[in-house]
Every structure is written in C-alpha cells, then in structure tokens.
mmCIF file of all heavy atoms in Angstrom:
data_model
loop_
_atom_site.group_PDB
_atom_site.id
_atom_site.type_symbol
_atom_site.label_atom_id
_atom_site.label_comp_id
_atom_site.label_asym_id
_atom_site.label_seq_id
_atom_site.Cartn_x
_atom_site.Cartn_y
_atom_site.Cartn_z
ATOM 1 N N ARG A 1 25.252 -6.897 -4.431
ATOM 2 C CA ARG A 1 26.231 -7.557 -5.426
ATOM 3 C C ARG A 1 25.423 -8.058 -6.658
ATOM 4 O O ARG A 1 24.598 -8.961 -6.526
ATOM 5 C CB ARG A 1 26.989 -8.754 -4.770
ATOM 6 C CG ARG A 1 27.813 -8.401 -3.615
ATOM 7 C CD ARG A 1 28.317 -9.630 -2.954
ATOM 8 N NE ARG A 1 29.113 -10.416 -3.952
ATOM 9 C CZ ARG A 1 29.546 -11.699 -3.661
ATOM 10 N NH1 ARG A 1 29.213 -12.206 -2.528
ATOM 11 N NH2 ARG A 1 30.101 -12.321 -4.513
ATOM 12 N N VAL A 2 25.648 -7.457 -7.853
ATOM 13 C CA VAL A 2 24.998 -7.726 -9.012
ATOM 14 C C VAL A 2 25.566 -9.063 -9.638
ATOM 15 O O VAL A 2 24.951 -9.663 -10.493
ATOM 16 C CB VAL A 2 25.059 -6.643 -10.001
ATOM 17 C CG1 VAL A 2 24.348 -5.378 -9.546
ATOM 18 C CG2 VAL A 2 26.589 -6.332 -10.388
ATOM 19 N N ASP A 3 26.702 -9.465 -9.206
ATOM 20 C CA ASP A 3 27.289 -10.691 -9.687
ATOM 21 C C ASP A 3 27.183 -11.894 -8.637
ATOM 22 O O ASP A 3 28.060 -12.795 -8.645
ATOM 23 C CB ASP A 3 28.825 -10.549 -10.042
ATOM 24 C CG ASP A 3 29.669 -10.065 -8.861
ATOM 25 O OD1 ASP A 3 28.995 -9.552 -7.989
ATOM 26 O OD2 ASP A 3 30.911 -10.201 -8.994
ATOM 27 N N ALA A 4 26.193 -11.772 -7.825
ATOM 28 C CA ALA A 4 26.120 -12.708 -6.623
ATOM 29 C C ALA A 4 25.830 -14.072 -7.174
ATOM 30 O O ALA A 4 25.066 -14.258 -8.155
ATOM 31 C CB ALA A 4 24.944 -12.303 -5.761
ATOM 32 N N PRO A 5 26.391 -15.113 -6.548
ATOM 33 C CA PRO A 5 26.036 -16.562 -6.963
ATOM 34 C C PRO A 5 24.732 -16.831 -6.319
ATOM 35 O O PRO A 5 24.149 -16.109 -5.491
ATOM 36 C CB PRO A 5 27.160 -17.283 -6.169
ATOM 37 C CG PRO A 5 27.569 -16.407 -5.062
ATOM 38 C CD PRO A 5 27.455 -15.037 -5.577
ATOM 39 N N MET A 6 24.173 -18.025 -6.728
ATOM 40 C CA MET A 6 22.806 -18.484 -6.188
ATOM 41 C C MET A 6 22.877 -18.678 -4.732
ATOM 42 O O MET A 6 23.879 -19.162 -4.094
ATOM 43 C CB MET A 6 22.514 -19.851 -6.806
ATOM 44 C CG MET A 6 22.290 -19.659 -8.274
ATOM 45 S SD MET A 6 21.599 -21.212 -9.018
ATOM 46 C CE MET A 6 19.986 -21.531 -8.151
ATOM 47 N N GLY A 7 21.855 -18.209 -3.991
ATOM 48 C CA GLY A 7 21.728 -18.311 -2.545
ATOM 49 C C GLY A 7 22.356 -17.195 -1.789
ATOM 50 O O GLY A 7 22.519 -17.278 -0.569
ATOM 51 N N THR A 8 22.713 -16.037 -2.444
ATOM 52 C CA THR A 8 23.297 -15.027 -1.593
ATOM 53 C C THR A 8 22.285 -14.327 -0.706
ATOM 54 O O THR A 8 22.560 -14.104 0.420
ATOM 55 C CB THR A 8 23.847 -13.937 -2.674
ATOM 56 O OG1 THR A 8 24.965 -14.509 -3.309
ATOM 57 C CG2 THR A 8 24.454 -12.717 -1.887
ATOM 58 N N THR A 9 21.149 -14.003 -1.305
ATOM 59 C CA THR A 9 20.066 -13.407 -0.466
ATOM 60 C C THR A 9 19.349 -14.355 0.373
ATOM 61 O O THR A 9 18.582 -15.175 -0.118
ATOM 62 C CB THR A 9 19.012 -12.648 -1.419
ATOM 63 O OG1 THR A 9 19.708 -11.672 -2.338
ATOM 64 C CG2 THR A 9 18.015 -11.823 -0.574
ATOM 65 N N GLU A 10 19.755 -14.356 1.688
ATOM 66 C CA GLU A 10 19.144 -15.365 2.659
ATOM 67 C C GLU A 10 18.002 -14.805 3.373
ATOM 68 O O GLU A 10 17.207 -15.522 3.838
ATOM 69 C CB GLU A 10 20.253 -15.790 3.526
ATOM 70 C CG GLU A 10 21.400 -16.423 2.775
ATOM 71 C CD GLU A 10 22.412 -17.099 3.811
ATOM 72 O OE1 GLU A 10 22.285 -16.904 4.968
ATOM 73 O OE2 GLU A 10 23.389 -17.759 3.328
ATOM 74 N N VAL A 11 17.868 -13.506 3.583
ATOM 75 C CA VAL A 11 16.758 -12.973 4.247
ATOM 76 C C VAL A 11 16.196 -11.827 3.374
ATOM 77 O O VAL A 11 16.705 -11.388 2.441
ATOM 78 C CB VAL A 11 17.233 -12.369 5.624
ATOM 79 C CG1 VAL A 11 17.643 -13.474 6.584
ATOM 80 C CG2 VAL A 11 18.289 -11.240 5.458
ATOM 81 N N GLY A 12 14.958 -11.430 3.772
ATOM 82 C CA GLY A 12 14.205 -10.459 3.072
ATOM 83 C C GLY A 12 14.766 -8.979 3.286
ATOM 84 O O GLY A 12 14.615 -8.463 4.274
ATOM 85 N N GLU A 13 15.626 -8.462 2.261
ATOM 86 C CA GLU A 13 16.246 -7.191 2.507
ATOM 87 C C GLU A 13 15.284 -6.134 1.845
ATOM 88 O O GLU A 13 14.765 -6.361 0.758
ATOM 89 C CB GLU A 13 17.609 -7.178 1.831
ATOM 90 C CG GLU A 13 18.543 -8.213 2.308
ATOM 91 C CD GLU A 13 19.885 -8.280 1.622
ATOM 92 O OE1 GLU A 13 20.014 -7.411 0.749
ATOM 93 O OE2 GLU A 13 20.702 -9.131 1.899
ATOM 94 N N THR A 14 15.113 -5.029 2.621
ATOM 95 C CA THR A 14 14.124 -3.983 2.150
ATOM 96 C C THR A 14 14.851 -2.748 1.773
ATOM 97 O O THR A 14 15.844 -2.364 2.408
ATOM 98 C CB THR A 14 13.129 -3.691 3.217
ATOM 99 O OG1 THR A 14 13.794 -3.318 4.476
ATOM 100 C CG2 THR A 14 12.301 -5.045 3.570
ATOM 101 N N TYR A 15 14.307 -1.995 0.724
ATOM 102 C CA TYR A 15 14.774 -0.759 0.413
ATOM 103 C C TYR A 15 13.616 0.128 0.060
ATOM 104 O O TYR A 15 12.502 -0.218 -0.273
ATOM 105 C CB TYR A 15 15.650 -0.882 -0.832
ATOM 106 C CG TYR A 15 16.615 -2.039 -0.825
ATOM 107 C CD1 TYR A 15 16.273 -3.282 -1.267
ATOM 108 C CD2 TYR A 15 17.809 -1.817 -0.282
ATOM 109 C CE1 TYR A 15 17.209 -4.336 -1.200
ATOM 110 C CE2 TYR A 15 18.815 -2.739 -0.131
ATOM 111 C CZ TYR A 15 18.466 -4.058 -0.617
ATOM 112 O OH TYR A 15 19.398 -5.093 -0.577
ATOM 113 N N ARG A 16 13.723 1.463 0.286
ATOM 114 C CA ARG A 16 12.724 2.428 0.152
ATOM 115 C C ARG A 16 12.821 3.272 -1.121
ATOM 116 O O ARG A 16 13.922 3.655 -1.488
ATOM 117 C CB ARG A 16 12.648 3.380 1.349
ATOM 118 C CG ARG A 16 12.279 2.572 2.663
ATOM 119 C CD ARG A 16 12.112 3.484 3.874
ATOM 120 N NE ARG A 16 11.827 2.731 5.064
ATOM 121 C CZ ARG A 16 10.639 2.413 5.377
ATOM 122 N NH1 ARG A 16 9.652 2.712 4.659
ATOM 123 N NH2 ARG A 16 10.438 1.602 6.504
ATOM 124 N N LEU A 17 11.596 3.571 -1.759
ATOM 125 C CA LEU A 17 11.609 4.317 -2.918
ATOM 126 C C LEU A 17 10.428 5.160 -2.937
ATOM 127 O O LEU A 17 9.252 4.738 -2.596
ATOM 128 C CB LEU A 17 11.647 3.385 -4.152
ATOM 129 C CG LEU A 17 11.509 4.011 -5.623
ATOM 130 C CD1 LEU A 17 12.794 4.776 -5.869
ATOM 131 C CD2 LEU A 17 11.407 2.891 -6.620
ATOM 132 N N GLN A 18 10.520 6.373 -3.431
ATOM 133 C CA GLN A 18 9.405 7.343 -3.549
ATOM 134 C C GLN A 18 9.114 7.628 -5.004
ATOM 135 O O GLN A 18 9.982 8.032 -5.747
ATOM 136 C CB GLN A 18 9.688 8.687 -2.748
ATOM 137 C CG GLN A 18 8.505 9.647 -2.684
ATOM 138 C CD GLN A 18 7.500 9.156 -1.800
ATOM 139 O OE1 GLN A 18 7.705 8.711 -0.625
ATOM 140 N NE2 GLN A 18 6.217 9.077 -2.277
ATOM 141 N N LEU A 19 7.786 7.329 -5.366
ATOM 142 C CA LEU A 19 7.493 7.505 -6.788
ATOM 143 C C LEU A 19 6.621 8.691 -6.747
ATOM 144 O O LEU A 19 5.652 8.931 -6.031
ATOM 145 C CB LEU A 19 6.637 6.254 -7.200
ATOM 146 C CG LEU A 19 6.308 6.273 -8.726
ATOM 147 C CD1 LEU A 19 7.531 6.196 -9.535
ATOM 148 C CD2 LEU A 19 5.439 5.048 -8.978
ATOM 149 N N GLN A 20 6.912 9.567 -7.783
ATOM 150 C CA GLN A 20 6.203 10.768 -7.906
ATOM 151 C C GLN A 20 4.712 10.642 -8.126
ATOM 152 O O GLN A 20 4.447 9.754 -9.079
ATOM 153 C CB GLN A 20 6.814 11.712 -9.077
ATOM 154 C CG GLN A 20 6.268 13.051 -9.078
ATOM 155 C CD GLN A 20 6.889 13.952 -10.205
ATOM 156 O OE1 GLN A 20 7.819 13.439 -10.854
ATOM 157 N NE2 GLN A 20 6.527 15.170 -10.420
ATOM 158 N N GLY A 21 3.790 11.297 -7.484
ATOM 159 C CA GLY A 21 2.438 11.198 -7.632
ATOM 160 C C GLY A 21 1.732 10.147 -6.594
ATOM 161 O O GLY A 21 0.558 10.006 -6.672
ATOM 162 N N LEU A 22 2.559 9.553 -5.731
ATOM 163 C CA LEU A 22 2.021 8.583 -4.706
ATOM 164 C C LEU A 22 2.348 9.143 -3.418
ATOM 165 O O LEU A 22 3.464 9.625 -3.168
ATOM 166 C CB LEU A 22 2.676 7.278 -4.830
ATOM 167 C CG LEU A 22 2.293 6.323 -5.966
ATOM 168 C CD1 LEU A 22 3.146 5.057 -5.850
ATOM 169 C CD2 LEU A 22 0.853 5.953 -5.989
ATOM 170 N N GLU A 23 1.245 9.190 -2.602
ATOM 171 C CA GLU A 23 1.390 9.673 -1.236
ATOM 172 C C GLU A 23 2.149 8.650 -0.357
ATOM 173 O O GLU A 23 2.890 8.901 0.534
ATOM 174 C CB GLU A 23 0.049 9.932 -0.592
ATOM 175 C CG GLU A 23 -0.678 11.079 -1.384
ATOM 176 C CD GLU A 23 -2.015 11.410 -0.607
ATOM 177 O OE1 GLU A 23 -2.365 10.729 0.356
ATOM 178 O OE2 GLU A 23 -2.763 12.275 -1.073
ATOM 179 N N ARG A 24 1.955 7.429 -0.592
ATOM 180 C CA ARG A 24 2.553 6.311 0.169
ATOM 181 C C ARG A 24 3.900 5.970 -0.488
ATOM 182 O O ARG A 24 4.235 6.086 -1.578
ATOM 183 C CB ARG A 24 1.746 5.018 0.067
ATOM 184 C CG ARG A 24 0.364 5.068 0.775
ATOM 185 C CD ARG A 24 -0.403 3.798 0.697
ATOM 186 N NE ARG A 24 -1.638 3.822 1.218
ATOM 187 C CZ ARG A 24 -2.034 3.388 2.430
ATOM 188 N NH1 ARG A 24 -1.068 2.842 3.173
ATOM 189 N NH2 ARG A 24 -3.278 3.549 2.766
ATOM 190 N N GLU A 25 4.890 5.729 0.573
ATOM 191 C CA GLU A 25 6.142 5.311 0.265
ATOM 192 C C GLU A 25 6.207 3.921 -0.243
ATOM 193 O O GLU A 25 5.482 3.047 0.243
ATOM 194 C CB GLU A 25 7.150 5.526 1.249
ATOM 195 C CG GLU A 25 8.610 5.369 0.988
ATOM 196 C CD GLU A 25 9.473 5.695 2.168
ATOM 197 O OE1 GLU A 25 9.070 5.315 3.402
ATOM 198 O OE2 GLU A 25 10.716 6.165 2.010
ATOM 199 N N ILE A 26 7.137 3.567 -1.304
ATOM 200 C CA ILE A 26 7.197 2.198 -1.705
ATOM 201 C C ILE A 26 8.395 1.544 -0.911
ATOM 202 O O ILE A 26 9.550 2.024 -0.883
ATOM 203 C CB ILE A 26 7.562 2.183 -3.292
ATOM 204 C CG1 ILE A 26 6.322 2.830 -4.005
ATOM 205 C CG2 ILE A 26 7.716 0.862 -3.846
ATOM 206 C CD1 ILE A 26 6.618 3.005 -5.504
ATOM 207 N N VAL A 27 8.112 0.306 -0.443
ATOM 208 C CA VAL A 27 9.074 -0.511 0.160
ATOM 209 C C VAL A 27 9.378 -1.717 -0.607
ATOM 210 O O VAL A 27 8.397 -2.465 -0.819
ATOM 211 C CB VAL A 27 8.679 -0.907 1.536
ATOM 212 C CG1 VAL A 27 9.714 -1.799 2.271
ATOM 213 C CG2 VAL A 27 8.411 0.393 2.474
ATOM 214 N N ILE A 28 10.579 -1.801 -1.177
ATOM 215 C CA ILE A 28 10.945 -2.979 -2.079
ATOM 216 C C ILE A 28 11.677 -3.964 -1.226
ATOM 217 O O ILE A 28 12.676 -3.730 -0.515
ATOM 218 C CB ILE A 28 11.844 -2.466 -3.297
ATOM 219 C CG1 ILE A 28 11.114 -1.461 -4.079
ATOM 220 C CG2 ILE A 28 12.252 -3.601 -4.110
ATOM 221 C CD1 ILE A 28 11.838 -0.793 -5.199
ATOM 222 N N THR A 29 11.261 -5.204 -1.324
ATOM 223 C CA THR A 29 11.808 -6.350 -0.539
ATOM 224 C C THR A 29 12.312 -7.315 -1.522
ATOM 225 O O THR A 29 11.667 -7.822 -2.391
ATOM 226 C CB THR A 29 10.722 -7.009 0.335
ATOM 227 O OG1 THR A 29 10.189 -6.060 1.123
ATOM 228 C CG2 THR A 29 11.334 -8.167 1.109
ATOM 229 N N ASP A 30 13.613 -7.515 -1.286
ATOM 230 C CA ASP A 30 14.410 -8.608 -2.129
ATOM 231 C C ASP A 30 14.178 -9.962 -1.334
ATOM 232 O O ASP A 30 14.355 -9.989 -0.085
ATOM 233 C CB ASP A 30 15.856 -8.209 -2.278
ATOM 234 C CG ASP A 30 16.481 -9.199 -3.317
ATOM 235 O OD1 ASP A 30 15.745 -9.899 -3.996
ATOM 236 O OD2 ASP A 30 17.686 -9.122 -3.390
ATOM 237 N N THR A 31 13.899 -10.987 -2.061
ATOM 238 C CA THR A 31 13.733 -12.284 -1.392
ATOM 239 C C THR A 31 14.717 -13.362 -1.880
ATOM 240 O O THR A 31 15.334 -13.155 -2.928
ATOM 241 C CB THR A 31 12.287 -12.825 -1.735
ATOM 242 O OG1 THR A 31 12.103 -13.035 -3.075
ATOM 243 C CG2 THR A 31 11.211 -11.912 -1.326
ATOM 244 N N PRO A 32 15.001 -14.338 -1.053
ATOM 245 C CA PRO A 32 15.854 -15.450 -1.451
ATOM 246 C C PRO A 32 15.301 -16.112 -2.796
ATOM 247 O O PRO A 32 14.050 -16.107 -2.929
ATOM 248 C CB PRO A 32 15.926 -16.399 -0.365
ATOM 249 C CG PRO A 32 15.419 -15.631 0.927
ATOM 250 C CD PRO A 32 14.513 -14.577 0.319
ATOM 251 N N GLY A 33 16.118 -16.728 -3.544
ATOM 252 C CA GLY A 33 15.700 -17.388 -4.726
ATOM 253 C C GLY A 33 14.868 -18.658 -4.484
ATOM 254 O O GLY A 33 15.242 -19.353 -3.438
ATOM 255 N N ILE A 34 14.079 -18.988 -5.365
ATOM 256 C CA ILE A 34 13.321 -20.229 -5.173
ATOM 257 C C ILE A 34 14.000 -21.303 -6.067
ATOM 258 O O ILE A 34 14.858 -21.055 -6.948
ATOM 259 C CB ILE A 34 11.826 -20.022 -5.596
ATOM 260 C CG1 ILE A 34 11.775 -19.639 -7.105
ATOM 261 C CG2 ILE A 34 11.157 -19.023 -4.784
ATOM 262 C CD1 ILE A 34 10.362 -19.630 -7.650
ATOM 263 N N LEU A 35 13.501 -22.514 -5.835
ATOM 264 C CA LEU A 35 13.940 -23.728 -6.527
ATOM 265 C C LEU A 35 15.550 -24.004 -6.364
ATOM 266 O O LEU A 35 16.132 -24.432 -7.357
ATOM 267 C CB LEU A 35 13.654 -23.581 -8.090
ATOM 268 C CG LEU A 35 12.165 -23.251 -8.360
ATOM 269 C CD1 LEU A 35 11.989 -23.002 -9.881
ATOM 270 C CD2 LEU A 35 11.260 -24.313 -7.896
ATOM 271 N N GLU A 36 16.021 -23.621 -5.202
ATOM 272 C CA GLU A 36 17.478 -23.978 -4.965
ATOM 273 C C GLU A 36 17.513 -25.276 -4.297
ATOM 274 O O GLU A 36 16.647 -25.841 -3.642
ATOM 275 C CB GLU A 36 18.057 -22.844 -4.021
ATOM 276 C CG GLU A 36 18.033 -21.482 -4.673
ATOM 277 C CD GLU A 36 18.532 -20.430 -3.712
ATOM 278 O OE1 GLU A 36 18.898 -20.777 -2.561
ATOM 279 O OE2 GLU A 36 18.494 -19.294 -4.052
ATOM 280 N N ALA A 37 18.733 -25.898 -4.546
ATOM 281 C CA ALA A 37 18.936 -27.248 -4.034
ATOM 282 C C ALA A 37 19.241 -27.295 -2.503
ATOM 283 O O ALA A 37 19.765 -26.388 -2.016
ATOM 284 C CB ALA A 37 19.900 -28.042 -4.830
ATOM 285 N N GLY A 38 18.996 -28.495 -1.890
ATOM 286 C CA GLY A 38 19.458 -28.706 -0.513
ATOM 287 C C GLY A 38 18.324 -28.239 0.496
ATOM 288 O O GLY A 38 17.375 -27.523 0.179
ATOM 289 N N VAL A 39 18.670 -28.598 1.772
ATOM 290 C CA VAL A 39 17.752 -28.256 2.876
ATOM 291 C C VAL A 39 17.701 -26.709 3.097
ATOM 292 O O VAL A 39 16.688 -26.076 3.288
ATOM 293 C CB VAL A 39 18.180 -28.871 4.202
ATOM 294 C CG1 VAL A 39 17.228 -28.512 5.343
ATOM 295 C CG2 VAL A 39 18.234 -30.394 3.982
ATOM 296 N N ALA A 40 18.877 -26.062 2.992
ATOM 297 C CA ALA A 40 19.007 -24.639 3.197
ATOM 298 C C ALA A 40 18.254 -23.868 2.023
ATOM 299 O O ALA A 40 17.505 -22.922 2.286
ATOM 300 C CB ALA A 40 20.512 -24.202 3.117
ATOM 301 N N GLY A 41 18.283 -24.414 0.746
ATOM 302 C CA GLY A 41 17.566 -23.815 -0.273
ATOM 303 C C GLY A 41 16.074 -23.992 -0.099
ATOM 304 O O GLY A 41 15.283 -22.965 -0.365
ATOM 305 N N THR A 42 15.567 -25.039 0.453
ATOM 306 C CA THR A 42 14.240 -25.245 0.726
ATOM 307 C C THR A 42 13.697 -24.221 1.752
ATOM 308 O O THR A 42 12.700 -23.681 1.674
ATOM 309 C CB THR A 42 13.810 -26.759 1.219
ATOM 310 O OG1 THR A 42 14.345 -27.629 0.189
ATOM 311 C CG2 THR A 42 12.436 -26.909 1.415
ATOM 312 N N GLU A 43 14.519 -24.045 2.769
ATOM 313 C CA GLU A 43 14.143 -23.175 3.948
ATOM 314 C C GLU A 43 14.086 -21.734 3.373
ATOM 315 O O GLU A 43 13.219 -21.007 3.744
ATOM 316 C CB GLU A 43 15.190 -23.263 5.008
ATOM 317 C CG GLU A 43 15.063 -24.500 5.804
ATOM 318 C CD GLU A 43 13.663 -24.738 6.428
ATOM 319 O OE1 GLU A 43 13.108 -23.806 6.969
ATOM 320 O OE2 GLU A 43 13.282 -25.905 6.375
ATOM 321 N N ARG A 44 14.982 -21.363 2.482
ATOM 322 C CA ARG A 44 15.017 -19.972 1.929
ATOM 323 C C ARG A 44 13.788 -19.796 1.065
ATOM 324 O O ARG A 44 13.194 -18.684 0.908
ATOM 325 C CB ARG A 44 16.325 -19.731 1.141
ATOM 326 C CG ARG A 44 17.552 -19.513 1.962
ATOM 327 C CD ARG A 44 18.697 -18.920 1.185
ATOM 328 N NE ARG A 44 19.157 -19.880 0.157
ATOM 329 C CZ ARG A 44 20.055 -20.851 0.345
ATOM 330 N NH1 ARG A 44 20.698 -20.848 1.555
ATOM 331 N NH2 ARG A 44 20.551 -21.659 -0.615
ATOM 332 N N GLU A 45 13.453 -20.885 0.305
ATOM 333 C CA GLU A 45 12.116 -20.758 -0.538
ATOM 334 C C GLU A 45 10.922 -20.477 0.352
ATOM 335 O O GLU A 45 10.028 -19.806 -0.086
ATOM 336 C CB GLU A 45 12.087 -21.966 -1.354
ATOM 337 C CG GLU A 45 10.839 -21.867 -2.289
ATOM 338 C CD GLU A 45 10.855 -22.991 -3.394
ATOM 339 O OE1 GLU A 45 11.813 -23.658 -3.521
ATOM 340 O OE2 GLU A 45 9.812 -23.277 -3.999
ATOM 341 N N LYS A 46 10.891 -21.200 1.399
ATOM 342 C CA LYS A 46 9.699 -20.934 2.389
ATOM 343 C C LYS A 46 9.616 -19.448 2.700
ATOM 344 O O LYS A 46 8.590 -18.882 2.753
ATOM 345 C CB LYS A 46 9.839 -21.950 3.477
ATOM 346 C CG LYS A 46 9.625 -23.379 3.283
ATOM 347 C CD LYS A 46 9.684 -24.225 4.518
ATOM 348 C CE LYS A 46 9.498 -25.694 4.286
ATOM 349 N NZ LYS A 46 9.547 -26.457 5.576
ATOM 350 N N LEU A 47 10.729 -18.912 3.089
ATOM 351 C CA LEU A 47 10.767 -17.494 3.494
ATOM 352 C C LEU A 47 10.349 -16.653 2.329
ATOM 353 O O LEU A 47 9.633 -15.741 2.487
ATOM 354 C CB LEU A 47 12.195 -17.191 3.976
ATOM 355 C CG LEU A 47 12.512 -15.623 4.203
ATOM 356 C CD1 LEU A 47 11.565 -15.154 5.302
ATOM 357 C CD2 LEU A 47 13.908 -15.332 4.575
ATOM 358 N N ALA A 48 10.816 -17.029 1.113
ATOM 359 C CA ALA A 48 10.529 -16.154 -0.117
ATOM 360 C C ALA A 48 8.995 -16.339 -0.350
ATOM 361 O O ALA A 48 8.451 -15.247 -0.613
ATOM 362 C CB ALA A 48 11.318 -16.562 -1.315
#
C-alpha cells in the first residue's frame, strides 16, 4: 500500500530482484518505520 499510514509495515517483508550483470540475486527487505510513538513503535524500531 503506497498510501499506508504510519506503522503499517510491522515485520521485515522481503522481495526479490535480479539486476543485469550480477550473478547474485538481490533480496530487498522493507522494515518498519523508526521514531514511531508508543511501546509498539519502539518494538518495531528495534526490529528495523
């Protein structure tokens, strides 16, 4: 969701991408946002 509110990404979501000229595959990991308020935000920041 590109219009996601703060705190949507709660776990590290991964996506794969192949870049021409590279033998290794690229794994892109999305992380929860940092500097969010509350206990839940602090825990998500630790994960990030």
Side-chain angles (χ1 to χ4, degrees):
R1 293 174 56 192
V2 297
D3 58 343
M6 290 184 65
T8 296
T9 305
E10 296 185 358
V11 296
E13 301 175 7
T14 59
Y15 311 93
R16 296 183 179 274
L17 177 66
Q18 188 68 50
L19 187 63
Q20 187 176 2
L22 284 180
E23 296 181 359
R24 295 177 182 264
E25 189 177 33
I26 300 174
V27 176
I28 299 178
T29 302
D30 192 9
T31 63
I34 63 173
L35 307 178
E36 296 177 3
V39 177
T42 302
E43 292 299 320
R44 286 194 294 269
E45 181 171 343
K46 289 181 180 179
L47 173 61

